[in-house]
Amino acid sequence: GAGVSQSPSNKVTEKGKDVELRCDPISGHTALYWYRQRLGQGLEFLIYFQGNSAPDKSGLPSDRFSAERTGESVSTLTIQRTQQEDSAVYLCASSNYGYTFGSGTRLTVV
Amino acid sequence: TQLLEQSPQFLSIQEGENLTVYCNSSSVFSSLQWYRQEPGEGPVLLVTVVTGGEVKKLKRLTFQFGDARKDSSLHITAAQPGDTGLYLCAGAVINFNKFYFGSGTKLNVKP
């Protein structure tokens, strides 16, 4: 596609539920990144994909967080047993050289 | 602990004024980028600098990469309300595989 597409744009979930966030990168971009942005903060790195392998998962905050990618296409970030501190905007970027970001998924855990 | 420190955190100025935003680190970066983010949107890349001492100009915006590749600045001349947003710097430490972001400078330009 023309840009990076993320869905849903907003998600409100109850504490303890699982959520799946989706990212469609720019066609042909082999690198894909997930970042988290808390209100008024900078971006916190979560995970990086090169193709469908994840050479750097160092930013995933706990084992409740996981991500996968199908080929060089769609990626899904899954958060299990959500907690209130997971509330944030989750941003996906695909990269040729500089990042192109999606508009993010705003997750609110109540 | 932030790898990149940005200052100031907040800046509110009148239209027509000049401003400078700073991005500092004790780490050396192979490249550094500046992004601008508006509410409800993802960050948009403004510039990439890769050479120590490099200066890049983008209309009224001037970006400088420090000689030691540890710091950078963004200077805006004659700011306009359309410049309002969150400015983020991001540095790649070694092999470009990921960028570390600063906490951002929130700029408000009043008409």
Side-chain angles (χ1 to χ4, degrees), chain B residues 7-41:
Chain B
S7 62
Q9 283 186 286
F10 301 96
L11 194 53
S12 183
I13 61 171
Q14 291 294 138
E15 182 176 2
E17 291 184 6
N18 302 333
L19 67 116
T20 303
V21 175
Y22 298 94
C23 176
N24 295 297
S25 179
S26 56
S27 299
V28 176
F29 297 104
S30 52
S31 73
L32 193 139
Q33 300 183 329
W34 284 93
Y35 292 80
R36 180 165 155 263
Q37 185 179 23
E38 298 192 38
E41 299 294 327

PDB file of all heavy atoms in Angstrom, chain B residues 7-41:
ATOM      1  N   SER B   7      15.954  18.874  24.800  1.00  0.00           N
ATOM      2  CA  SER B   7      15.614  20.075  25.552  1.00  0.00           C
ATOM      3  C   SER B   7      15.305  21.209  24.585  1.00  0.00           C
ATOM      4  O   SER B   7      15.874  21.272  23.488  1.00  0.00           O
ATOM      5  CB  SER B   7      16.774  20.471  26.476  1.00  0.00           C
ATOM      6  OG  SER B   7      17.937  20.764  25.715  1.00  0.00           O
ATOM      7  N   PRO B   8      14.390  22.124  24.971  1.00  0.00           N
ATOM      8  CA  PRO B   8      13.545  21.992  26.151  1.00  0.00           C
ATOM      9  C   PRO B   8      12.451  20.945  25.924  1.00  0.00           C
ATOM     10  O   PRO B   8      12.251  20.487  24.798  1.00  0.00           O
ATOM     11  CB  PRO B   8      12.948  23.393  26.282  1.00  0.00           C
ATOM     12  CG  PRO B   8      12.870  23.882  24.875  1.00  0.00           C
ATOM     13  CD  PRO B   8      14.071  23.319  24.165  1.00  0.00           C
ATOM     14  N   GLN B   9      11.751  20.589  26.990  1.00  0.00           N
ATOM     15  CA  GLN B   9      10.640  19.637  26.845  1.00  0.00           C
ATOM     16  C   GLN B   9       9.433  20.327  26.236  1.00  0.00           C
ATOM     17  O   GLN B   9       8.686  19.726  25.474  1.00  0.00           O
ATOM     18  CB  GLN B   9      10.238  19.077  28.204  1.00  0.00           C
ATOM     19  CG  GLN B   9      11.186  18.022  28.739  1.00  0.00           C
ATOM     20  CD  GLN B   9      10.642  17.412  30.001  1.00  0.00           C
ATOM     21  OE1 GLN B   9      10.670  18.038  31.057  1.00  0.00           O
ATOM     22  NE2 GLN B   9      10.111  16.205  29.910  1.00  0.00           N
ATOM     23  N   PHE B  10       9.221  21.595  26.632  1.00  0.00           N
ATOM     24  CA  PHE B  10       8.089  22.370  26.141  1.00  0.00           C
ATOM     25  C   PHE B  10       8.582  23.728  25.695  1.00  0.00           C
ATOM     26  O   PHE B  10       9.495  24.296  26.307  1.00  0.00           O
ATOM     27  CB  PHE B  10       7.029  22.567  27.237  1.00  0.00           C
ATOM     28  CG  PHE B  10       6.479  21.289  27.785  1.00  0.00           C
ATOM     29  CD1 PHE B  10       6.996  20.738  28.948  1.00  0.00           C
ATOM     30  CD2 PHE B  10       5.441  20.631  27.145  1.00  0.00           C
ATOM     31  CE1 PHE B  10       6.494  19.554  29.452  1.00  0.00           C
ATOM     32  CE2 PHE B  10       4.931  19.445  27.647  1.00  0.00           C
ATOM     33  CZ  PHE B  10       5.465  18.908  28.804  1.00  0.00           C
ATOM     34  N   LEU B  11       7.978  24.250  24.646  1.00  0.00           N
ATOM     35  CA  LEU B  11       8.352  25.551  24.132  1.00  0.00           C
ATOM     36  C   LEU B  11       7.113  26.204  23.550  1.00  0.00           C
ATOM     37  O   LEU B  11       6.457  25.637  22.654  1.00  0.00           O
ATOM     38  CB  LEU B  11       9.428  25.377  23.061  1.00  0.00           C
ATOM     39  CG  LEU B  11      10.211  26.588  22.591  1.00  0.00           C
ATOM     40  CD1 LEU B  11      10.833  27.334  23.763  1.00  0.00           C
ATOM     41  CD2 LEU B  11      11.298  26.158  21.613  1.00  0.00           C
ATOM     42  N   SER B  12       6.782  27.384  24.071  1.00  0.00           N
ATOM     43  CA  SER B  12       5.635  28.126  23.564  1.00  0.00           C
ATOM     44  C   SER B  12       6.122  29.505  23.128  1.00  0.00           C
ATOM     45  O   SER B  12       6.673  30.247  23.945  1.00  0.00           O
ATOM     46  CB  SER B  12       4.562  28.252  24.657  1.00  0.00           C
ATOM     47  OG  SER B  12       3.428  28.907  24.136  1.00  0.00           O
ATOM     48  N   ILE B  13       5.986  29.806  21.852  1.00  0.00           N
ATOM     49  CA  ILE B  13       6.523  31.057  21.319  1.00  0.00           C
ATOM     50  C   ILE B  13       5.500  31.732  20.422  1.00  0.00           C
ATOM     51  O   ILE B  13       4.493  31.124  20.033  1.00  0.00           O
ATOM     52  CB  ILE B  13       7.826  30.814  20.519  1.00  0.00           C
ATOM     53  CG1 ILE B  13       7.551  29.882  19.331  1.00  0.00           C
ATOM     54  CG2 ILE B  13       8.921  30.257  21.408  1.00  0.00           C
ATOM     55  CD1 ILE B  13       8.726  29.763  18.378  1.00  0.00           C
ATOM     56  N   GLN B  14       5.784  32.987  20.091  1.00  0.00           N
ATOM     57  CA  GLN B  14       4.926  33.733  19.182  1.00  0.00           C
ATOM     58  C   GLN B  14       5.378  33.493  17.730  1.00  0.00           C
ATOM     59  O   GLN B  14       6.563  33.267  17.464  1.00  0.00           O
ATOM     60  CB  GLN B  14       5.008  35.230  19.486  1.00  0.00           C
ATOM     61  CG  GLN B  14       4.394  35.664  20.802  1.00  0.00           C
ATOM     62  CD  GLN B  14       2.889  35.457  20.821  1.00  0.00           C
ATOM     63  OE1 GLN B  14       2.333  34.993  21.826  1.00  0.00           O
ATOM     64  NE2 GLN B  14       2.214  35.805  19.737  1.00  0.00           N
ATOM     65  N   GLU B  15       4.424  33.563  16.841  1.00  0.00           N
ATOM     66  CA  GLU B  15       4.713  33.486  15.404  1.00  0.00           C
ATOM     67  C   GLU B  15       5.799  34.493  15.046  1.00  0.00           C
ATOM     68  O   GLU B  15       5.783  35.638  15.517  1.00  0.00           O
ATOM     69  CB  GLU B  15       3.434  33.783  14.621  1.00  0.00           C
ATOM     70  CG  GLU B  15       3.573  33.696  13.115  1.00  0.00           C
ATOM     71  CD  GLU B  15       2.243  33.901  12.410  1.00  0.00           C
ATOM     72  OE1 GLU B  15       1.222  34.154  13.084  1.00  0.00           O
ATOM     73  OE2 GLU B  15       2.220  33.795  11.171  1.00  0.00           O
ATOM     74  N   GLY B  16       6.760  34.054  14.237  1.00  0.00           N
ATOM     75  CA  GLY B  16       7.828  34.946  13.789  1.00  0.00           C
ATOM     76  C   GLY B  16       9.114  34.823  14.592  1.00  0.00           C
ATOM     77  O   GLY B  16      10.176  35.273  14.138  1.00  0.00           O
ATOM     78  N   GLU B  17       9.036  34.226  15.776  1.00  0.00           N
ATOM     79  CA  GLU B  17      10.248  34.056  16.593  1.00  0.00           C
ATOM     80  C   GLU B  17      11.090  32.892  16.069  1.00  0.00           C
ATOM     81  O   GLU B  17      10.607  32.015  15.351  1.00  0.00           O
ATOM     82  CB  GLU B  17       9.862  33.812  18.052  1.00  0.00           C
ATOM     83  CG  GLU B  17       9.260  35.013  18.741  1.00  0.00           C
ATOM     84  CD  GLU B  17       8.966  34.765  20.219  1.00  0.00           C
ATOM     85  OE1 GLU B  17       9.338  33.696  20.734  1.00  0.00           O
ATOM     86  OE2 GLU B  17       8.360  35.641  20.850  1.00  0.00           O
ATOM     87  N   ASN B  18      12.353  32.892  16.470  1.00  0.00           N
ATOM     88  CA  ASN B  18      13.269  31.793  16.144  1.00  0.00           C
ATOM     89  C   ASN B  18      13.394  30.883  17.360  1.00  0.00           C
ATOM     90  O   ASN B  18      13.185  31.328  18.504  1.00  0.00           O
ATOM     91  CB  ASN B  18      14.657  32.318  15.776  1.00  0.00           C
ATOM     92  CG  ASN B  18      14.624  33.269  14.597  1.00  0.00           C
ATOM     93  OD1 ASN B  18      13.730  33.187  13.751  1.00  0.00           O
ATOM     94  ND2 ASN B  18      15.573  34.175  14.552  1.00  0.00           N
ATOM     95  N   LEU B  19      13.738  29.631  17.138  1.00  0.00           N
ATOM     96  CA  LEU B  19      13.917  28.704  18.251  1.00  0.00           C
ATOM     97  C   LEU B  19      14.929  27.632  17.883  1.00  0.00           C
ATOM     98  O   LEU B  19      15.158  27.343  16.702  1.00  0.00           O
ATOM     99  CB  LEU B  19      12.579  28.034  18.627  1.00  0.00           C
ATOM    100  CG  LEU B  19      12.045  27.105  17.548  1.00  0.00           C
ATOM    101  CD1 LEU B  19      11.994  25.669  18.037  1.00  0.00           C
ATOM    102  CD2 LEU B  19      10.667  27.560  17.081  1.00  0.00           C
ATOM    103  N   THR B  20      15.517  27.043  18.931  1.00  0.00           N
ATOM    104  CA  THR B  20      16.428  25.915  18.741  1.00  0.00           C
ATOM    105  C   THR B  20      16.068  24.808  19.716  1.00  0.00           C
ATOM    106  O   THR B  20      15.831  25.068  20.895  1.00  0.00           O
ATOM    107  CB  THR B  20      17.890  26.329  18.952  1.00  0.00           C
ATOM    108  OG1 THR B  20      18.205  27.395  18.053  1.00  0.00           O
ATOM    109  CG2 THR B  20      18.838  25.163  18.685  1.00  0.00           C
ATOM    110  N   VAL B  21      16.026  23.584  19.218  1.00  0.00           N
ATOM    111  CA  VAL B  21      15.766  22.396  20.017  1.00  0.00           C
ATOM    112  C   VAL B  21      17.033  21.549  19.999  1.00  0.00           C
ATOM    113  O   VAL B  21      17.675  21.410  18.955  1.00  0.00           O
ATOM    114  CB  VAL B  21      14.578  21.602  19.429  1.00  0.00           C
ATOM    115  CG1 VAL B  21      14.368  20.299  20.182  1.00  0.00           C
ATOM    116  CG2 VAL B  21      13.310  22.441  19.454  1.00  0.00           C
ATOM    117  N   TYR B  22      17.366  20.989  21.164  1.00  0.00           N
ATOM    118  CA  TYR B  22      18.624  20.251  21.283  1.00  0.00           C
ATOM    119  C   TYR B  22      18.366  18.773  21.584  1.00  0.00           C
ATOM    120  O   TYR B  22      17.400  18.414  22.261  1.00  0.00           O
ATOM    121  CB  TYR B  22      19.469  20.847  22.398  1.00  0.00           C
ATOM    122  CG  TYR B  22      19.844  22.275  22.144  1.00  0.00           C
ATOM    123  CD1 TYR B  22      19.067  23.325  22.655  1.00  0.00           C
ATOM    124  CD2 TYR B  22      20.956  22.589  21.372  1.00  0.00           C
ATOM    125  CE1 TYR B  22      19.393  24.646  22.402  1.00  0.00           C
ATOM    126  CE2 TYR B  22      21.292  23.914  21.120  1.00  0.00           C
ATOM    127  CZ  TYR B  22      20.516  24.938  21.635  1.00  0.00           C
ATOM    128  OH  TYR B  22      20.837  26.236  21.369  1.00  0.00           O
ATOM    129  N   CYS B  23      19.298  17.949  21.096  1.00  0.00           N
ATOM    130  CA  CYS B  23      19.226  16.507  21.287  1.00  0.00           C
ATOM    131  C   CYS B  23      20.636  16.055  21.661  1.00  0.00           C
ATOM    132  O   CYS B  23      21.556  16.225  20.862  1.00  0.00           O
ATOM    133  CB  CYS B  23      18.756  15.862  19.981  1.00  0.00           C
ATOM    134  SG  CYS B  23      18.707  14.064  19.982  1.00  0.00           S
ATOM    135  N   ASN B  24      20.806  15.533  22.879  1.00  0.00           N
ATOM    136  CA  ASN B  24      22.141  15.220  23.376  1.00  0.00           C
ATOM    137  C   ASN B  24      22.238  13.801  23.896  1.00  0.00           C
ATOM    138  O   ASN B  24      21.269  13.237  24.416  1.00  0.00           O
ATOM    139  CB  ASN B  24      22.502  16.178  24.518  1.00  0.00           C
ATOM    140  CG  ASN B  24      22.622  17.601  24.041  1.00  0.00           C
ATOM    141  OD1 ASN B  24      23.470  17.936  23.231  1.00  0.00           O
ATOM    142  ND2 ASN B  24      21.734  18.456  24.519  1.00  0.00           N
ATOM    143  N   SER B  25      23.440  13.239  23.781  1.00  0.00           N
ATOM    144  CA  SER B  25      23.683  11.894  24.269  1.00  0.00           C
ATOM    145  C   SER B  25      25.162  11.722  24.610  1.00  0.00           C
ATOM    146  O   SER B  25      26.006  12.485  24.140  1.00  0.00           O
ATOM    147  CB  SER B  25      23.277  10.873  23.206  1.00  0.00           C
ATOM    148  OG  SER B  25      23.533   9.553  23.644  1.00  0.00           O
ATOM    149  N   SER B  26      25.453  10.728  25.398  1.00  0.00           N
ATOM    150  CA  SER B  26      26.851  10.363  25.629  1.00  0.00           C
ATOM    151  C   SER B  26      27.285   9.269  24.644  1.00  0.00           C
ATOM    152  O   SER B  26      28.458   8.893  24.600  1.00  0.00           O
ATOM    153  CB  SER B  26      27.042   9.870  27.065  1.00  0.00           C
ATOM    154  OG  SER B  26      26.180   8.793  27.326  1.00  0.00           O
ATOM    155  N   SER B  27      26.343   8.789  23.840  1.00  0.00           N
ATOM    156  CA  SER B  27      26.644   7.742  22.857  1.00  0.00           C
ATOM    157  C   SER B  27      26.923   8.348  21.488  1.00  0.00           C
ATOM    158  O   SER B  27      26.423   9.431  21.170  1.00  0.00           O
ATOM    159  CB  SER B  27      25.462   6.778  22.739  1.00  0.00           C
ATOM    160  OG  SER B  27      25.200   6.133  23.959  1.00  0.00           O
ATOM    161  N   VAL B  28      27.691   7.634  20.712  1.00  0.00           N
ATOM    162  CA  VAL B  28      27.972   8.028  19.331  1.00  0.00           C
ATOM    163  C   VAL B  28      26.958   7.349  18.420  1.00  0.00           C
ATOM    164  O   VAL B  28      26.708   6.146  18.546  1.00  0.00           O
ATOM    165  CB  VAL B  28      29.405   7.618  18.921  1.00  0.00           C
ATOM    166  CG1 VAL B  28      29.655   7.940  17.441  1.00  0.00           C
ATOM    167  CG2 VAL B  28      30.430   8.303  19.809  1.00  0.00           C
ATOM    168  N   PHE B  29      26.411   8.103  17.504  1.00  0.00           N
ATOM    169  CA  PHE B  29      25.398   7.570  16.590  1.00  0.00           C
ATOM    170  C   PHE B  29      25.927   7.492  15.175  1.00  0.00           C
ATOM    171  O   PHE B  29      26.652   8.371  14.715  1.00  0.00           O
ATOM    172  CB  PHE B  29      24.135   8.437  16.621  1.00  0.00           C
ATOM    173  CG  PHE B  29      23.464   8.447  17.956  1.00  0.00           C
ATOM    174  CD1 PHE B  29      23.573   9.536  18.798  1.00  0.00           C
ATOM    175  CD2 PHE B  29      22.740   7.344  18.387  1.00  0.00           C
ATOM    176  CE1 PHE B  29      22.974   9.530  20.045  1.00  0.00           C
ATOM    177  CE2 PHE B  29      22.141   7.328  19.636  1.00  0.00           C
ATOM    178  CZ  PHE B  29      22.265   8.429  20.462  1.00  0.00           C
ATOM    179  N   SER B  30      25.566   6.434  14.490  1.00  0.00           N
ATOM    180  CA  SER B  30      25.942   6.309  13.081  1.00  0.00           C
ATOM    181  C   SER B  30      25.035   7.185  12.220  1.00  0.00           C
ATOM    182  O   SER B  30      25.447   7.610  11.136  1.00  0.00           O
ATOM    183  CB  SER B  30      25.867   4.853  12.644  1.00  0.00           C
ATOM    184  OG  SER B  30      24.614   4.301  12.967  1.00  0.00           O
ATOM    185  N   SER B  31      23.836   7.432  12.657  1.00  0.00           N
ATOM    186  CA  SER B  31      22.979   8.394  11.969  1.00  0.00           C
ATOM    187  C   SER B  31      21.957   8.913  12.965  1.00  0.00           C
ATOM    188  O   SER B  31      21.688   8.274  13.991  1.00  0.00           O
ATOM    189  CB  SER B  31      22.281   7.772  10.754  1.00  0.00           C
ATOM    190  OG  SER B  31      21.268   6.893  11.164  1.00  0.00           O
ATOM    191  N   LEU B  32      21.413  10.065  12.671  1.00  0.00           N
ATOM    192  CA  LEU B  32      20.437  10.678  13.557  1.00  0.00           C
ATOM    193  C   LEU B  32      19.322  11.261  12.701  1.00  0.00           C
ATOM    194  O   LEU B  32      19.584  11.823  11.632  1.00  0.00           O
ATOM    195  CB  LEU B  32      21.089  11.769  14.413  1.00  0.00           C
ATOM    196  CG  LEU B  32      20.244  12.248  15.587  1.00  0.00           C
ATOM    197  CD1 LEU B  32      21.108  12.433  16.818  1.00  0.00           C
ATOM    198  CD2 LEU B  32      19.498  13.505  15.243  1.00  0.00           C
ATOM    199  N   GLN B  33      18.101  11.095  13.182  1.00  0.00           N
ATOM    200  CA  GLN B  33      16.953  11.579  12.438  1.00  0.00           C
ATOM    201  C   GLN B  33      16.112  12.507  13.313  1.00  0.00           C
ATOM    202  O   GLN B  33      16.124  12.400  14.540  1.00  0.00           O
ATOM    203  CB  GLN B  33      16.088  10.395  11.979  1.00  0.00           C
ATOM    204  CG  GLN B  33      16.842   9.435  11.071  1.00  0.00           C
ATOM    205  CD  GLN B  33      15.976   8.314  10.552  1.00  0.00           C
ATOM    206  OE1 GLN B  33      15.045   7.873  11.206  1.00  0.00           O
ATOM    207  NE2 GLN B  33      16.291   7.820   9.356  1.00  0.00           N
ATOM    208  N   TRP B  34      15.409  13.405  12.664  1.00  0.00           N
ATOM    209  CA  TRP B  34      14.419  14.259  13.321  1.00  0.00           C
ATOM    210  C   TRP B  34      13.048  13.968  12.708  1.00  0.00           C
ATOM    211  O   TRP B  34      12.918  13.840  11.474  1.00  0.00           O
ATOM    212  CB  TRP B  34      14.754  15.737  13.135  1.00  0.00           C
ATOM    213  CG  TRP B  34      15.883  16.211  13.999  1.00  0.00           C
ATOM    214  CD1 TRP B  34      17.206  16.262  13.676  1.00  0.00           C
ATOM    215  CD2 TRP B  34      15.780  16.732  15.327  1.00  0.00           C
ATOM    216  NE1 TRP B  34      17.936  16.762  14.723  1.00  0.00           N
ATOM    217  CE2 TRP B  34      17.088  17.057  15.750  1.00  0.00           C
ATOM    218  CE3 TRP B  34      14.719  16.952  16.205  1.00  0.00           C
ATOM    219  CZ2 TRP B  34      17.364  17.606  17.002  1.00  0.00           C
ATOM    220  CZ3 TRP B  34      14.978  17.493  17.453  1.00  0.00           C
ATOM    221  CH2 TRP B  34      16.292  17.819  17.851  1.00  0.00           C
ATOM    222  N   TYR B  35      12.067  13.880  13.599  1.00  0.00           N
ATOM    223  CA  TYR B  35      10.693  13.635  13.206  1.00  0.00           C
ATOM    224  C   TYR B  35       9.799  14.721  13.810  1.00  0.00           C
ATOM    225  O   TYR B  35      10.116  15.293  14.855  1.00  0.00           O
ATOM    226  CB  TYR B  35      10.186  12.285  13.741  1.00  0.00           C
ATOM    227  CG  TYR B  35      10.829  11.075  13.117  1.00  0.00           C
ATOM    228  CD1 TYR B  35      12.084  10.632  13.522  1.00  0.00           C
ATOM    229  CD2 TYR B  35      10.165  10.349  12.128  1.00  0.00           C
ATOM    230  CE1 TYR B  35      12.673   9.513  12.956  1.00  0.00           C
ATOM    231  CE2 TYR B  35      10.734   9.217  11.557  1.00  0.00           C
ATOM    232  CZ  TYR B  35      11.986   8.813  11.978  1.00  0.00           C
ATOM    233  OH  TYR B  35      12.554   7.693  11.412  1.00  0.00           O
ATOM    234  N   ARG B  36       8.641  14.937  13.161  1.00  0.00           N
ATOM    235  CA  ARG B  36       7.614  15.805  13.713  1.00  0.00           C
ATOM    236  C   ARG B  36       6.332  14.984  13.818  1.00  0.00           C
ATOM    237  O   ARG B  36       5.969  14.264  12.871  1.00  0.00           O
ATOM    238  CB  ARG B  36       7.390  17.025  12.823  1.00  0.00           C
ATOM    239  CG  ARG B  36       6.326  17.974  13.345  1.00  0.00           C
ATOM    240  CD  ARG B  36       6.410  19.307  12.627  1.00  0.00           C
ATOM    241  NE  ARG B  36       5.125  19.963  12.658  1.00  0.00           N
ATOM    242  CZ  ARG B  36       4.230  19.922  11.667  1.00  0.00           C
ATOM    243  NH1 ARG B  36       4.499  19.276  10.565  1.00  0.00           N
ATOM    244  NH2 ARG B  36       3.092  20.545  11.807  1.00  0.00           N
ATOM    245  N   GLN B  37       5.674  15.099  14.972  1.00  0.00           N
ATOM    246  CA  GLN B  37       4.467  14.314  15.203  1.00  0.00           C
ATOM    247  C   GLN B  37       3.332  15.238  15.597  1.00  0.00           C
ATOM    248  O   GLN B  37       3.480  16.074  16.493  1.00  0.00           O
ATOM    249  CB  GLN B  37       4.706  13.275  16.305  1.00  0.00           C
ATOM    250  CG  GLN B  37       3.543  12.334  16.548  1.00  0.00           C
ATOM    251  CD  GLN B  37       3.841  11.313  17.626  1.00  0.00           C
ATOM    252  OE1 GLN B  37       4.699  11.519  18.477  1.00  0.00           O
ATOM    253  NE2 GLN B  37       3.124  10.178  17.608  1.00  0.00           N
ATOM    254  N   GLU B  38       2.198  15.074  14.930  1.00  0.00           N
ATOM    255  CA  GLU B  38       0.989  15.821  15.293  1.00  0.00           C
ATOM    256  C   GLU B  38       0.058  14.900  16.062  1.00  0.00           C
ATOM    257  O   GLU B  38       0.136  13.668  15.929  1.00  0.00           O
ATOM    258  CB  GLU B  38       0.329  16.367  14.036  1.00  0.00           C
ATOM    259  CG  GLU B  38       1.233  17.350  13.304  1.00  0.00           C
ATOM    260  CD  GLU B  38       0.497  18.113  12.228  1.00  0.00           C
ATOM    261  OE1 GLU B  38      -0.676  18.471  12.434  1.00  0.00           O
ATOM    262  OE2 GLU B  38       1.100  18.342  11.171  1.00  0.00           O
ATOM    263  N   PRO B  39      -0.847  15.455  16.868  1.00  0.00           N
ATOM    264  CA  PRO B  39      -1.745  14.629  17.690  1.00  0.00           C
ATOM    265  C   PRO B  39      -2.518  13.620  16.851  1.00  0.00           C
ATOM    266  O   PRO B  39      -3.042  13.948  15.798  1.00  0.00           O
ATOM    267  CB  PRO B  39      -2.684  15.667  18.325  1.00  0.00           C
ATOM    268  CG  PRO B  39      -1.888  16.928  18.352  1.00  0.00           C
ATOM    269  CD  PRO B  39      -1.041  16.903  17.118  1.00  0.00           C
ATOM    270  N   GLY B  40      -2.535  12.376  17.308  1.00  0.00           N
ATOM    271  CA  GLY B  40      -3.298  11.333  16.627  1.00  0.00           C
ATOM    272  C   GLY B  40      -2.620  10.760  15.408  1.00  0.00           C
ATOM    273  O   GLY B  40      -3.208   9.932  14.711  1.00  0.00           O
ATOM    274  N   GLU B  41      -1.396  11.191  15.146  1.00  0.00           N
ATOM    275  CA  GLU B  41      -0.676  10.691  13.975  1.00  0.00           C
ATOM    276  C   GLU B  41       0.655  10.089  14.395  1.00  0.00           C
ATOM    277  O   GLU B  41       1.163  10.366  15.474  1.00  0.00           O
ATOM    278  CB  GLU B  41      -0.411  11.839  12.987  1.00  0.00           C
ATOM    279  CG  GLU B  41      -1.660  12.506  12.452  1.00  0.00           C
ATOM    280  CD  GLU B  41      -2.485  11.579  11.586  1.00  0.00           C
ATOM    281  OE1 GLU B  41      -1.909  10.719  10.889  1.00  0.00           O
ATOM    282  OE2 GLU B  41      -3.737  11.699  11.625  1.00  0.00           O
TER     283      GLU B  41
END
